């Protein structure tokens, strides 16, 4: 796993990366066009779109846990294939919905299938590679994901430029087709044997308080996720003198940075102790990034402000890569053997919560509070990163030689 290449060597690991790439291109196009498609083509009010998507992802985050459990019990490869096809069908259904209720129904299927697919993929990965290889492979997958999103965003930009109904429909058709290709690639992977059910341990992750605490702290760390899509654009345009086009440049900087450096950054993480150290370092860097972002409001002139924002974004990039590598390792290593899908389904709810609550929190902190809001955000993330150490030790001790049900003590 020391190769600098974007894709791993030939074999199951490369197939996993290709499956990621196949649907991330369509996702990148979907992300940049979906809001305008639902308003201009479907004809929904923005408030209704937000309500529908929030409801869908709230349900999806909850259903992801039993779907992850299903992957453990029925086999992750077949489950992942079926959920990839279900996601593609949900995206395809967006092509024909023209009212709020069908939109919500399609969004519910989309969010549920996406959440379950993520958990099933993680269970499949855990069954195909050794514990020592997981974080390195996830770094490869993250780099591949960013490459696909970048290409897809470019295609979506073309659709936005054309602005026609046919262009928008082509984007959604591309995304739906991408999930079908993803399913076909996943089916080429070796099958991973399902794990046997254990009496009295149904959805034990919901009673695993140490793991729940680690998941909660990781959710706090993930509040950085909406920064690039919402927090920084609002801050840049409303609080600084930097040119508006810098929003796009900072997004490209982050995407290319992850593509180039996520794999090397993950090499320092090889077990629970190194993962905790990576998370701690990410918290320090996150506070530093927030402080520099806060300073950009006082930077006189557009180019000075732009330089400060670029510097802050570089520090944010380093914090993101360390936090990602550390959390991947912890999410896997603290999950009991045979329950990776179920536990990853629960761990993945942090992403959904961050994406759902993050916009509201960031808007309040950054737009309304200004520089103090940046410092508060960085401080909270720093505290959560240092609290991760005791929480991980608790979860690690509780899991040593005990059944999952015993970890509720």
């Amino acid at each position: 796993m020391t190769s600098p290449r974007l894709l791993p060597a030939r074999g199951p690991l490369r197939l996993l990366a290709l499956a990621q790439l196949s649907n991330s291109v369509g996702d990148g196009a979907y992300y940049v066009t979906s809001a305008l498609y639902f308003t201009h083509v479907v004809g929904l009010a923005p408030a209704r779109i937000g309500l529908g998507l929030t409801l869908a992802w709230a349900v999806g985050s909850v259903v992801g846990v039993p779907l992850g459990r299903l992957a453990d019990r029925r086999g992750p490869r077949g489950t992942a294939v079926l959920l990839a096809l279900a996601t593609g069908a949900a995206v395809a259904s967006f092509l024909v919905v023209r009212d709020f209720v069908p939109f919500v129904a399609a969004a519910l299927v989309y969010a549920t299938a996406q959440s379950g697919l993520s958990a099933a993929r993680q269970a499949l990965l855990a069954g195909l590679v050794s514990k020592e290889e997981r974080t390195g492979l996830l770094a490869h997958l993250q780099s591949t994901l960013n490459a696909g999103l970048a290409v897809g965003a470019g295609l979506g930009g073309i659709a936005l430029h054309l602005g026609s109904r046919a262009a928008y429909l082509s984007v959604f058709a591309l995304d739906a087709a991408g999930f079908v290709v993803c399913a076909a690639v996943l089916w080429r992977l070796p099958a991973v044997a399902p794990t046997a059910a254990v009496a009295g341990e149904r959805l034990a992750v919901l009673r695993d308080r140490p793991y729940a605490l680690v998941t909660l702290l990781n959710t706090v760390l993930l509040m950085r996720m909406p920064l690039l899509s919402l927090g920084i654009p609002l801050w840049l345009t409303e609080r600084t003198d930097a040119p508006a086009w810098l929003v796009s440049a900072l997004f490209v900087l982050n995407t290319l940075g992850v593509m180039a450096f996520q794999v090397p950054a993950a090499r320092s993480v090889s077990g629970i102790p190194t993962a905790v150290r990576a998370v701690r370092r990410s918290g320090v860097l996150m506070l530093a990034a927030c402080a520099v972002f806060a300073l950009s409001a006082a930077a006189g002139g557009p180019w000075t402000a732009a330089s400060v924002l670029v510097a802050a974004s570089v520090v944010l990039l380093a914090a993101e890569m360390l936090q990602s590598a550390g959390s991947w390792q912890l999410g896997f290593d603290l999950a009991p053997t045979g329950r990776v899908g179920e536990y990853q389904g629960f761990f993945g709810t942090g992403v959904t919560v961050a994406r759902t609550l993050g916009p509201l929190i960031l808007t309040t902190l950054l737009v309304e509070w200004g520089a103090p809001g940046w410092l508060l955000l960085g401080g909270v993330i720093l505290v959560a990163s240092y609290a991760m150490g005791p929480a991980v030790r608790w979860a690690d001790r509780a899991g040593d030689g005990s059944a999952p049900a015993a970890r509720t003590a």
Side-chain angles (χ1 to χ4, degrees):
M1 300 305 297
T2 59
S3 171
R5 296 174 300 177
L6 181 64
L7 292 176
R10 290 181 181 275
L13 306 190
R14 176 168 290 190
L15 288 175
L16 280 169
L18 289 174
Q20 181 82 285
L21 180 64
S22 63
N23 70 262
S24 63
V25 173
D27 277 348
Y30 169 87
Y31 292 151
V32 300
T33 60
S34 58
L36 292 179
Y37 171 79
F38 291 133
T39 54
H40 294 175
V41 177
V42 179
L44 297 175
R48 285 198 148 195
I49 296 172
L51 174 63
L53 292 177
T54 299
L55 175 63
W57 282 110
V59 173
S61 65
V62 173
V63 178
V65 177
L67 285 177
R69 181 67 167 166
L70 179 67
D72 291 330
R73 291 291 169 257
R74 299 297 182 183
R77 187 187 66 172
T79 305
V81 168
L82 290 175
L83 289 171
L85 292 173
T87 307
V91 174
S93 69
F94 285 133
L95 295 168
V96 296
V97 299
R98 293 294 180 269
D99 202 1
F100 179 66
V101 173
F103 163 73
V104 172
L108 283 169
V109 176
Y110 176 77
T112 298
Q114 277 273 49
S115 297
L117 176 59
S118 176
R121 272 175 159 169
Q122 302 292 59
L124 183 58
L125 181 151
L128 292 175
V129 302
S130 65
K131 292 179 63 174
E132 294 74 20
E133 291 181 296
R134 288 174 189 169
T135 297
L137 177 58
L138 283 166
H140 271 294
L141 295 181
Q142 187 71 7
S143 297
T144 305
L145 172 66
N146 275 264
L149 291 176
V151 173
L155 296 175
I158 296 173
L160 291 175
H161 176 71
L162 295 174
S164 65
R165 181 175 182 272
Y168 285 119
L169 293 177
S170 297
V171 165
F172 278 72
L174 172 67
D175 196 21
F179 281 101
V180 175
V181 174
C182 172
V185 175
L186 290 172
W187 186 250
R188 293 178 57 195
L189 286 164
V192 173
T195 57
V198 179
E201 291 186 3
R202 186 177 181 182
L203 296 182
V205 67
L206 301 180
R207 305 187 302 276
D208 191 337
R209 291 200 296 269
Y211 196 87
L213 177 59
V214 172
T215 301
L216 174 62
L217 293 173
N218 189 61
T219 302
V220 175
L221 301 179
L222 289 173
M223 286 298 161
R224 59 160 177 81
M225 292 185 67
L227 280 175
L228 277 174
S229 61
L230 180 71
I232 293 173
L234 290 176
W235 174 262
L236 185 150
T237 54
E238 297 192 17
R239 292 277 189 158
T240 78
D241 296 326
W245 57 260
L246 188 63
V247 169
S248 176
L250 295 180
F251 181 85
V252 172
L253 170 67
N254 182 272
T255 300
L256 295 179
V258 172
M259 286 171 55
F261 300 113
Q262 181 67 79
V263 174
R267 290 178 190 145
S268 63
V269 178
S270 57
I272 288 179
T274 53
V276 170
R277 285 197 292 271
V279 169
R280 261 200 314 260
R281 289 199 298 269
S282 77
V284 174
L285 288 173
M286 193 65 200
L287 177 60
C290 289
V292 180
F293 275 119
L295 289 175
S296 65
W303 295 110
T304 302
S307 299
V308 175
L309 287 167
V310 169
S313 297
V314 170
V315 181
L316 174 64
L317 171 64
E320 173 187 341
M321 291 187 295
L322 285 172
Q323 187 271 324
S324 295
S327 66
W328 294 333
Q329 189 81 35
L330 295 175
F332 273 109
D333 284 6
L334 296 175
T337 302
R339 309 183 78 92
V340 173
E342 175 187 343
Y343 271 64
Q344 283 294 312
F346 183 72
F347 198 70
T349 60
V351 174
T352 305
V353 172
R355 286 177 174 167
T356 303
L357 298 182
L360 175 62
I361 294 172
L362 292 182
T363 301
T364 301
L365 289 179
L366 308 185
V367 178
E368 297 184 15
W369 293 16
W374 275 111
L375 297 178
L376 178 59
L377 175 65
V380 169
I381 290 178
L382 177 66
V383 170
S385 71
Y386 270 79
M388 188 66 84
V392 167
R393 286 193 292 272
W394 181 28
D396 198 26
R397 285 196 305 269
D400 285 343
S402 65
R407 292 172 60 171
T408 59

